[in-house]
Amino acid sequence: MSDAVSALNGQTHDGFARVAEAGLRGMVTIRADLGSAALAGALAALGLSVPAQRGIVSAGGKAVGWMSPDELLLLCDYAQAPQIAADLTSALADEHALVTVVSDARALFTVQGAKADQVLMKLCPVDFATLPEGELRRTRAAQVAAALWRSGPDEISVVCFRSVAGYMMGLLEVASRKGGEIF
């Protein structure tokens, strides 16, 4: 079996903001009744809670984001994802639920710097001036389906399908080139 590698092997670009493919990151999709006590208990065992609509909560190196009325995306250490998925599957065994490891089907990017918003303003129909920390948005970046959130004071994280990671990196790289600042 070959070693796992991220979509772009941690590729980076430094412009007026720093763009980086975040490397291997564990991701688990959870499709379930988000009001389920079993789901709340399973997430609590991980130190997390069910996020509010369009929310993302994090603790202990893990995060869980609201993706739709019956879907969450859990982010964790890459190596932990299979065990976390197995534990969640077991905890939700008596519920109508689906838990799937999607780590190798997704790519995670970070855009960092005081003008990180400006990179994504060029690509996404989102009002970044009103996007608070703790809110996850499903949107598009150019023609790519994406989810994004403020993952730090001067950082925005973006998740997309791995199959379009090269295209996403190209979009972010061009949008962050020095001299391309909006203001």
Side-chain angles (χ1 to χ4, degrees):
M1 177 180 246
S2 60
D3 293 330
V5 294
S6 67
L8 302 176
N9 249 349
Q11 184 178 345
T12 63
H13 168 75
D14 289 308
F16 67 82
R18 179 176 176 77
V19 175
E21 190 254 351
L24 288 175
R25 185 78 170 133
M27 296 186 212
V28 177
T29 292
I30 305 161
R31 300 295 301 253
D33 174 1
L34 301 188
S36 159
L39 177 61
L43 291 176
L46 296 170
L48 298 167
S49 60
V50 177
Q53 183 175 357
R54 289 184 18 189
I56 185 163
V57 294
S58 58
K62 297 176 191 72
V64 63
W66 184 93
M67 299 296 278
S68 75
D70 69 346
E71 180 182 2
L72 301 175
L73 179 65
L74 189 142
L75 292 98
C76 60
D77 179 79
Y78 182 84
Q80 293 177 331
Q83 186 59 56
I84 288 173
D87 292 346
L88 288 167
T89 298
S90 178
L92 298 172
D94 294 333
E95 311 252 333
H96 181 72
L98 174 68
V99 179
T100 306
V101 177
V102 294
S103 309
D104 295 327
R106 306 282 188 272
L108 175 66
F109 294 86
T110 57
V111 182
Q112 301 170 315
K115 296 182 179 184
D117 286 4
Q118 293 184 28
V119 174
L120 290 156
M121 283 178 190
K122 298 175 186 180
L123 303 171
C124 304
V126 173
D127 182 358
F128 285 93
T130 62
L131 180 69
E133 222 173 303
E135 182 176 313
L136 182 144
R137 281 303 213 24
R138 290 189 74 169
T139 186
R140 66 181 190 282
Q143 298 303 311
V144 175
L148 56 85
W149 65 95
R150 291 189 188 285
S151 46
D154 289 327
E155 180 179 273
I156 298 173
S157 290
V158 180
V159 172
C160 68
F161 288 106
R162 181 185 180 110
S163 61
V164 294
Y167 178 70
M168 177 65 83
M169 184 64 181
L171 291 172
L172 295 170
E173 185 269 326
V174 169
S176 68
R177 286 183 183 165
K178 291 180 182 172
E181 298 87 343
I182 296 173
F183 47 85

